[in-house]
Amino acid sequence: MPGYLNRFIDIDLSEYGEGCYVRIHNPKIVPQSMLEPTTRVEVDADGKAVDRDIAAKGSDEVMCRLIKDWCVYDMSDLDVDEPPPLTLPATPEQIAKLPIGIKLQVSKAIADAMPSPK
């Protein structure tokens, strides 16, 4: 197949349930614009976000752009015996319904795959 190698990163989430996974576009080979939130995130002198809510929304927005496929479930209603699957395309509203452990694993996979400056 022509093009770049390792176009996707598969995140195994079998610890959450049989068949659970997230597939993301490899951040190393996407245009920079896919990795930038549409809302500007203001940072202080230490490089930390001034408004954490805006920073979190920006992170969720970038995560949504990178998610190619997934098999995950809506955990926003803990009283449901069988949570419904989340559909594609991923949206910030759906990201908010993920277990925090899954969200953190996806964020870590994105951060770990970011190219480091030489």
Side-chain angles (χ1 to χ4, degrees), residues 40-54:
R40 182 177 159 88
V41 178
E42 194 175 332
V43 295
D44 63 18
D46 296 325
K48 295 186 180 183
V50 174
D51 187 327
R52 294 178 75 174
D53 289 337
I54 289 175

Side-chain angles (χ1 to χ4, degrees), residues 10-22 71-73 75 99-106 108-109:
D10 293 320
I11 305 165
D12 176 21
L13 300 172
S14 57
E15 67 183 284
Y16 294 93
E18 189 174 331
C20 290
Y21 69 91
V22 173
C71 180
V72 291
Y73 299 89
M75 291 305 297
I100 189 64
I102 290 177
K103 187 174 176 181
L104 291 172
Q105 278 186 257
V106 174
K108 183 178 182 327

Side-chain angles (χ1 to χ4, degrees), residues 26-46:
N26 187 341
K28 286 183 181 179
I29 61 169
V30 300
Q32 183 174 343
S33 61
M34 284 186 70
L35 301 172
E36 296 173 345
T38 56
T39 303
R40 182 177 159 88
V41 178
E42 194 175 332
V43 295
D44 63 18
D46 296 325

